[in-house]
Amino acid sequence: MEIWINPACSKCRSALSILDAEAAEYTVRRYLEDPPNEAEIRAVLARLGLEPWDITRTGEARAAELDMATWPRDAEARDRWVRALAENPILIQRPIITADDGTTVIARSEETVRSVLP
């Protein structure tokens, strides 16, 4: 499995601790240093069954700078949101885990992390 993390995030560190305690095999992607491109974001959104605004950290200062609170949340605006996430990875909710079977979750709770363990 792969986990997108920000090492400064307590939820990310917690998820890693759970994975380590369960001896899970995983690859870490520090997505601020190795940002996903638009195609990768679209793929994750498809696996999550969510829209880009659903995984956007709208409370981040960068979101305020971009005035994202005023952006429409509809099909026509989808590309704009995806582009913003690719260009500003700090806005991506974390951690995101993709299991080997393609199951993808935003792993902000222990239960959610455990849901992707084999």
Side-chain angles (χ1 to χ4, degrees):
M1 70 179 68
E2 180 178 79
I3 181 169
W4 293 4
I5 68 157
N6 172 351
C9 169
S10 63
K11 299 284 187 188
C12 294
R13 292 191 307 270
S14 176
L16 292 174
S17 293
I18 295 165
L19 295 176
D20 288 342
E22 296 297 326
E25 293 184 26
Y26 62 90
T27 302
V28 169
R29 181 170 185 173
R30 294 180 179 212
Y31 72 93
L32 296 178
E33 298 166 18
D34 180 17
N37 61 37
E38 289 183 33
E40 290 172 309
I41 292 169
R42 288 178 199 288
V44 161
L45 289 167
R47 288 192 301 270
L48 286 168
L50 296 174
E51 293 295 340
W53 45 86
D54 296 326
I55 68 163
T56 299
R57 297 174 56 85
T58 55
E60 289 286 337
R62 184 64 182 137
E65 290 168 11
L66 294 170
D67 199 24
M68 293 179 91
T70 66
W71 291 15
R73 296 178 180 209
D74 58 25
E76 290 180 16
R78 193 172 201 272
D79 289 343
R80 180 182 186 191
W81 284 84
V82 170
R83 187 170 40 259
L85 293 174
E87 292 173 357
N88 304 277
I90 192 70
L91 297 174
I92 299 171
Q93 189 58 263
R94 61 195 181 241
I96 295 178
I97 299 176
T98 299
D100 292 338
D101 68 0
T103 301
T104 303
V105 296
I106 299 173
R108 298 193 54 80
S109 71
E110 179 176 350
E111 180 180 299
T112 306
V113 174
R114 292 188 181 284
S115 74
V116 294
L117 291 171

